Amino acid sequence: MMQEVKRMSGGRLKLGAGTLYTALNTLQGKGLIEPHPGVEGADARRKMYAITADGREVLAAEVERLAELLAAGRQALNGGGLTMARTEKRWHTWMSWDYGKEERWLNEMSARGLHLTKGGAFRSEFERDETVRYAYGIDYQGGLSKKTAS
């Protein structure tokens, strides 16, 4: 497992066994990875894991966060300072049946200084403001029509 991590990172990441297995247990405990059927034969003791749907979502958010950090760093190196655009668009598929998951996503965005200004099924717009934090909650009210909702 440790050789695989080293290979995937091009040799830049070296983890001790305690660090690696603690991280794997944490990821599994959070439902971000799950055991995958192992290999037969000589490598039968080898543990394999697969990323879950939640894990993919968390990974996508982390990749996005790192891309923002990289862009801000490049901007700073080019003499542009660290200011970022005030309005930002985010692609995200809303899970209308899982309000808790959507609330957590909105609150994570708020913790990063992004506040919802326009929501949609696939794309949402946020305003960046590092000075305030909102707590989002989704309150579904079934049975409403356009007439009763206005």
Side-chain angles (χ1 to χ4, degrees):
M1 179 69 78
M2 288 178 280
Q3 291 294 2
E4 186 68 15
V5 169
K6 200 171 174 182
R7 183 190 65 75
M8 288 186 331
S9 69
R12 292 178 294 229
L13 183 60
K14 298 174 186 169
L15 298 175
T19 303
L20 177 62
Y21 290 108
T22 299
L24 288 170
N25 286 334
T26 300
L27 291 170
Q28 188 175 358
K30 291 181 176 184
L32 303 178
I33 62 172
E34 60 190 6
H36 189 272
V39 189
E40 296 179 15
D43 288 338
R45 296 182 314 165
R46 197 171 174 191
K47 290 185 178 181
M48 305 210 30
Y49 298 90
I51 192 166
T52 64
D54 285 346
R56 285 189 190 285
E57 197 171 303
V58 168
L59 179 59
E62 182 63 9
V63 167
E64 185 177 310
R65 184 189 70 79
L66 291 172
E68 289 173 0
L69 184 63
L70 179 62
R74 284 187 173 145
Q75 186 177 7
L77 284 173
N78 292 328
L82 290 175
T83 58
M84 295 181 70
R86 192 131 174 92
T87 300
E88 299 182 27
K89 295 178 181 159
R90 296 284 190 260
W91 293 96
H92 176 79
T93 304
W94 284 87
M95 304 297 175
S96 60
W97 58 89
D98 192 347
Y99 300 114
K101 189 177 207 177
E102 298 310 320
E103 285 178 2
R104 285 189 297 278
W105 180 71
L106 287 169
N107 286 310
E108 286 171 15
M109 298 303 280
S110 179
R112 293 167 49 193
L114 295 170
H115 310 294
L116 186 67
T117 57
K118 183 179 178 184
F122 298 103
R123 187 180 75 179
S124 300
E125 291 184 13
F126 293 84
E127 185 174 301
R128 180 171 290 283
D129 185 350
E130 302 287 341
T131 63
V132 67
R133 297 292 180 261
Y134 294 106
Y136 290 94
I138 298 174
D139 181 16
Y140 174 75
Q141 297 179 12
L144 295 179
S145 68
K146 282 189 175 185
K147 288 182 181 178
T148 60
S150 27

